[in-house]
Amino acid sequence: MRQIPVDTANATVMVAKAPQPKVKDRRTGEIALDKDGVTLMTVEVMFSTPEEVEILKLTVPQPGVSEDLTMGTPVALTGLVASAWENEFNGQKRHGIAFRAVAVTSLAAGASQPKAA
């Protein structure tokens, strides 16, 4: 799957919803892990440019998520990429764009940094 780097230089980014563990299977509640066994988190951010504002749902490895991220916290996104996806469920094709970042770091004064891996 091709990953496209996302330029965040001219964007203002703030937390829209506090980080939560990414759920792999909603029926069982199983938490998603990356290939190295690291817990994946979901962070929703408001991504604002001079032309538009969008809410993006990002997947981020847990060590890359700053502690104390709450709604409205300004953040920096490290290694943000977009990937197109498509699947079929119950005979219906679905598609979209998935966003993944290496880290979401708080820009608030006195904020803690991401946990070391």
Side-chain angles (χ1 to χ4, degrees), residues 11-34:
T12 300
V13 185
M14 294 177 10
V15 175
K17 186 175 180 184
Q20 299 179 354
K22 181 173 181 157
V23 177
K24 179 178 181 178
D25 185 334
R26 286 183 237 176
R27 290 172 291 157
T28 65
E30 180 183 359
I31 302 300
L33 305 174
D34 70 7

Side-chain angles (χ1 to χ4, degrees), residues 31-87:
I31 302 300
L33 305 174
D34 70 7
K35 62 181 173 30
D36 298 320
V38 174
T39 299
L40 294 173
M41 302 294 286
T42 298
V43 183
E44 291 185 40
V45 298
M46 180 189 74
F47 191 91
S48 174
T49 65
E51 294 82 33
E52 63 185 311
V53 176
E54 291 192 51
I55 299 294
L56 303 181
K57 187 181 281 192
L58 312 177
T59 298
V60 185
Q62 189 172 28
V65 177
S66 285
E67 292 180 18
D68 59 355
L69 290 182
T70 58
M71 187 168 49
T73 304
V75 292
L77 304 177
T78 304
L80 180 62
V81 294
S83 303
W85 61 267
E86 181 177 282
N87 64 24

